[in-house]
């Protein structure tokens, strides 16, 4: 079904490493025109260079997804550069794991700003154009922690991911006749996400991630959702290591 991907313009936030970078590489390999956005422009440029070396089309855009106006500007720039936008993949995220009793409100704010508000800002920037053109696909990265509360330690993280899953389903109900909506819900995946935990929980998180699957596994799941015919909407994909019980 590569024809379902070929020629589509795809924006991936958090595209400098992990799931975002691997998804960019795979979709470009299958003929998509890929725009990757993240704070670390140098890392983005490395991914773009890899894609170009393999004959693909990609451009990088510096972006902090917590900046609403910046998200709007990047989407506008992509439409100007490529002529349209077909798929938005809200992938940027943080996962600092810590017991709530430590009351680290700075980390709570960061997760809400990036995981939740960043996703909403992406939707707000892309949705009007999708509705105007009568087509589009919004893919939100939730988590298995958005299905089952990851506690102790991941309670607030789970809260943000439950919200992303709920927003995805609500958005599907509201705009599903024109815009496809998919929630991707991974378990432990090899990426930089595990390094956003500090303090006493860091060792526990790193131990948990010893069972992680490659980010490329999630990229294939995302490609599966993108490549479906226009009348098929894959609403949710849960993907985890076979060894993971949570």
């Amino acid at each position: 079904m590569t024809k379902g991907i070929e020629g589509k313009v795809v924006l991936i936030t958090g595209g400098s490493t992990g799931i975002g970078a691997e998804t960019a590489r795979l979709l470009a390999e299958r003929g998509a025109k890929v725009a990757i956005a993240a704070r670390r422009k140098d890392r983005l440029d490395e991914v773009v260079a890899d894609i170009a070396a393999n004959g693909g089309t990609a451009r990088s855009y510096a972006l902090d997804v917590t900046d609403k106006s910046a998200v709007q500007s990047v989407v506008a720039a992509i439409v100007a550069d490529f002529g349209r936008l077909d798929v938005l993949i809200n992938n940027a995220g943080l996962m600092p794991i810590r017991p709530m009793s430590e009351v680290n409100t700075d980390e709570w704010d960061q997760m809400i700003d990036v995981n939740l508000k960043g996703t909403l800002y992406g939707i707000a920037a892309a949705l009007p154009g999708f509705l105007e053109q009568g087509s589009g696909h919004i893919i939100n990265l939730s988590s298995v922690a958005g299905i089952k509360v990851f506690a102790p330690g991941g309670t607030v993280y789970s809260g943000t991911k439950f919200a992303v899953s709920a927003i995805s389903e609500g958005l599907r109900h509201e705009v599903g006749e024109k815009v496809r909506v998919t929630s991707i819900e991974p378990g432990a995946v090899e990426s930089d996400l595990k390094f956003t935990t500090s303090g006493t929980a860091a060792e526990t998180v790193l131990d948990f991630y010893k069972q992680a699957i490659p980010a490329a596994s999630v990229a294939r799941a995302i490609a599966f959702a993108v490549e479906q015919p226009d009348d098929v909407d894959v609403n949710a994909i849960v993907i985890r290591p076979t060894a993971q019980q949570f």
Side-chain angles (χ1 to χ4, degrees), residues 49-108:
D50 288 345
I51 290 171
N54 286 290
T57 300
R59 295 188 67 160
S60 64
Y61 301 81
L63 175 65
D64 179 350
V65 298
T66 68
D67 184 336
K68 180 167 55 177
S69 62
V71 179
Q72 294 278 355
S73 295
V74 165
V75 169
I78 291 164
V79 172
D81 292 340
F82 291 98
R84 62 185 292 119
L85 177 64
D86 299 294
V87 183
L88 165 67
I89 303 175
N90 281 311
N91 171 68
L94 297 173
M95 192 193 70
I97 301 303
R98 189 187 300 272
M100 288 196 74
S101 58
E102 295 186 12
V103 197
N104 192 314
T105 55
D106 288 342
E107 288 184 348
W108 299 353

Side-chain angles (χ1 to χ4, degrees), residues 177-210:
E177 290 187 5
K178 290 186 176 181
V179 180
R180 300 193 294 179
V181 182
T182 303
S183 177
I184 303 292
E185 297 159 1
V189 176
E190 184 55 47
S191 73
D192 287 350
L193 191 66
K194 62 180 180 288
F195 298 124
T196 58
T197 292
S198 62
T200 57
E203 186 175 341
T204 301
V205 169
L206 292 174
D207 185 63
F208 173 75
Y209 270 80
K210 289 178 180 177

